[in-house]
Amino acid sequence: DAKSHAPGSVRFFVARLGEQVRRRLVLERDLREAIERGQLELHFQPKVSLRDWTVTGFEALLRWNHPEHGPISPVEFIPVAEESGLILQMGEWALGQACLEAARWPDPLQVAVNISPVQVMAQNLPDAVQRALQRSGLAPHRLELEITESVFINETRGTVERLHALGRLGVQIALDDFGTGYSSLAYLRRFPFDTLKIDRAFVRELLISRDARSIVRNILALAQSLRMSTVAEGVEEPMQVSVLEAEGCDMVQGYYASRPMPARDVIEFVLNWGERHRPDRPRDFDLAN
Ligand code: C2E
Ligand code: MG
Ligand code: MG
Ligand code: MG
């Protein structure tokens, strides 16, 4: 009857739950197939220096265009890949592909690849990184690995050692989504990340909330004292750029500079970049805010 199928009823809840489980199983099956058939793609989003407004590199982001369901967000399929173990194969593909692309870019440009904590804990990540570098011929310092702080959630004695093993390959290591996790500050003392990426959540509030601005200011001070470079994520508006510049952030990434783009557009994007898009320097808005 209609009542037991109303939202909030137990039957409704069970039906919805069944739906979710089914979608997850279907996603896992289809994802496995997509990997085997080469249906995943990488898109690339630029990082821009606030010192001279040049593009310093690009972050590789996985894209999956499902044959029936259309584009599926990595926010949905990465967890499925992590829980099923598919992330190992998928991550290795992304790493290899990103390095092959970057090897064709003008020399100082870097590529950043997101690495799941599941990959960090798998013994062979340094081997996979080494292989990707060798096959592509990309110099190690042009590769950056972005790792989220959830890598420390189930921290074992091996975690920090594994990060050091990666660092010894000569690649850069960035802490992604900083500030959203658990006791973030403690992790910074455990491992010397090269770069800290300030989560989009703070950038979103930057122009609205004094608290967000003072948190960003303090994150930047902390990063500077630990000699880490800083990237602000999710920068969409020129005023955000101005405030981040005034606060001393090193780089910005976000729709303001560009949305992620297919690999074939990268080189032309860099050639056309110039200095045209730079917003006005901060002038008369309230810096003490
Ligand atoms: P992330 O590494 O923090 O990547 C940034 C996300 O923010 C990307 O979402 C990007 O498209 C989006 N973004 C960039 N600029 C803006 C902006 O100005 N405004 C807004 N609203 N969003 C912006 P995307 O591509 O959907 O990826 C989501 C997450 O999925 C990534 O977050 C990352 O954690 C994960 N992911 C993506 N590709 C990979 C991969 O190859 N391996 C792994 N392990 N994770 C990946
Ligand atoms: Mg990232
Ligand atoms: Mg991020
Ligand atoms: Mg983020």
Side-chain angles (χ1 to χ4, degrees), residues 28 80-90 118:
E28 183 183 329
V80 174
E82 287 176 332
E83 281 163 33
S84 59
L86 285 172
I87 192 73
L88 297 180
Q89 202 184 335
M90 201 168 96
V118 175

Side-chain angles (χ1 to χ4, degrees), residues 148-166:
T148 62
E149 57 200 12
S150 60
V151 74
F152 294 108
I153 289 181
N154 298 310
E155 185 179 355
T156 64
R157 282 201 314 180
T159 306
V160 170
E161 180 41 46
R162 280 155 198 252
L163 293 176
H164 279 292
L166 285 173

Side-chain angles (χ1 to χ4, degrees), residues 3-263:
K3 217 158 115 200
S4 61
H5 285 92
S9 74
V10 171
R11 277 246 224 117
F12 177 82
F13 178 71
V14 170
R16 292 279 311 181
L17 198 63
E19 226 171 82
Q20 281 169 23
V21 170
R22 200 155 47 237
R23 178 167 166 100
R24 216 176 166 89
L25 286 173
V26 168
L27 277 187
E28 183 183 329
R29 185 199 63 198
D30 293 356
L31 192 53
R32 194 180 301 273
E33 205 172 278
I35 294 169
E36 279 156 11
R37 296 185 179 176
Q39 291 170 346
L40 294 176
E41 224 188 302
L42 288 176
H43 281 203
F44 294 88
Q45 186 181 39
K47 301 183 190 187
V48 179
S49 167
L50 286 175
R51 185 164 48 81
D52 55 10
W53 203 244
T54 55
V55 175
T56 60
F58 289 80
E59 177 177 2
L61 294 159
L62 272 167
R63 293 291 175 265
W64 180 20
N65 196 357
H66 191 285
E68 294 153 51
H69 305 301
I72 297 180
S73 165
V75 175
E76 185 170 15
F77 72 77
I78 296 286
V80 174
E82 287 176 332
E83 281 163 33
S84 59
L86 285 172
I87 192 73
L88 297 180
Q89 202 184 335
M90 201 168 96
E92 192 160 346
W93 176 81
L95 194 55
Q97 193 59 29
C99 289
L100 283 173
E101 291 294 343
R104 302 167 45 234
W105 301 345
D107 189 352
L109 286 174
Q110 291 191 318
V111 69
V113 181
N114 291 284
I115 302 290
S116 160
V118 175
Q119 291 174 271
V120 176
M121 295 321 288
Q123 208 85 50
N124 67 0
L125 187 57
D127 286 351
V129 171
Q130 192 99 62
R131 244 190 332 268
L133 291 170
Q134 267 161 9
R135 284 187 186 160
S136 63
L138 189 72
H141 67 269
R142 292 180 59 196
L143 174 62
E144 180 170 67
L145 306 178
E146 295 193 4
I147 298 172
T148 62
E149 57 200 12
S150 60
V151 74
F152 294 108
I153 289 181
N154 298 310
E155 185 179 355
T156 64
R157 282 201 314 180
T159 306
V160 170
E161 180 41 46
R162 280 155 198 252
L163 293 176
H164 279 292
L166 285 173
R168 281 194 295 271
L169 298 174
V171 302
Q172 304 283 300
I173 304 188
L175 184 54
D176 205 352
D177 304 332
F178 184 77
T180 54
Y182 307 80
S183 52
S184 306
L185 295 184
Y187 304 137
L188 294 183
R189 295 179 49 229
R190 303 251 252 297
F191 182 78
F193 291 94
D194 300 288
T195 302
L196 189 155
K197 299 190 76 178
I198 301 172
D199 193 71
R200 180 155 60 96
F202 300 111
V203 174
R204 197 192 298 128
E205 299 286 308
L206 200 55
L207 305 176
I208 311 160
S209 146
R210 271 165 202 256
D211 288 348
R213 180 150 176 188
S214 98
I215 289 169
V216 166
R217 178 177 301 152
N218 283 287
I219 292 175
L220 292 170
L222 181 74
Q224 275 152 18
S225 74
L226 295 171
R227 281 179 287 280
M228 300 162 72
S229 67
T230 48
V231 181
E233 299 186 314
V235 175
E236 297 180 352
E237 298 169 35
M239 280 292 268
Q240 292 169 330
V241 176
S242 300
V243 171
L244 288 161
E245 186 178 0
E247 296 292 353
C249 186
D250 296 316
M251 281 168 273
V252 289
Q253 191 180 2
Y255 297 165
Y256 181 73
S258 169
R259 290 186 178 252
M261 66 191 79

